[in-house]
Amino acid sequence: MSVLVAFSVTPIGAGEDVGEAVAEAVHVVRASGLPNRTDAMFTTVEGETWDEVLGVVKDAVAAVEARCSRVSLVLKADARAGQGRLDAKVASVERHLAEGAS
């Protein structure tokens, strides 16, 4: 089983510049040792079980919550057989793009 969770955690009431607090959340994800990727809008993490992945999300939210009293969380999840989908899904799209450019 592979569980992919893309999430965005945002401190509320911390002003416009939330990068430092968000970096705390990303640090938690990277320290988990699970495959992950961060872009401008979401951090995606992959694990073998719901508990494993959602535990990382919970800890990331707690890291932001330690800096402010209110936190917003947006989460999208995909559970499916197999592993390594964090990279495989992107590779599939890139392959199709390359074939279309021929």
Side-chain angles (χ1 to χ4, degrees):
M1 172 67 80
S2 170
V3 178
L4 284 175
V5 171
F7 72 100
S8 172
V9 57
T10 306
I12 304 295
E16 268 187 60
D17 186 8
V18 297
E20 188 175 342
V22 172
E24 292 291 331
V26 174
H27 176 73
V28 168
V29 173
R30 292 182 179 174
S32 75
L34 295 177
N36 65 84
R37 177 176 291 123
T38 299
D39 61 37
M41 297 292 291
F42 288 93
T43 294
T44 304
V45 62
E46 179 177 14
E48 294 182 12
T49 68
W50 282 103
D51 289 344
E52 179 179 47
V53 175
L54 292 180
V56 172
V57 172
K58 181 180 175 184
D59 292 346
V61 170
V64 175
E65 193 174 31
R67 295 178 158 270
C68 65
S69 61
R70 186 174 178 195
V71 178
S72 172
L73 174 68
V74 175
L75 186 141
K76 181 176 181 178
D78 180 20
R80 182 177 172 181
Q83 293 182 346
R85 294 186 313 120
L86 183 67
D87 294 323
K89 289 178 86 160
V90 174
S92 174
V93 171
E94 291 295 339
R95 184 177 64 251
H96 288 290
L97 286 169
E99 290 170 359
S102 310

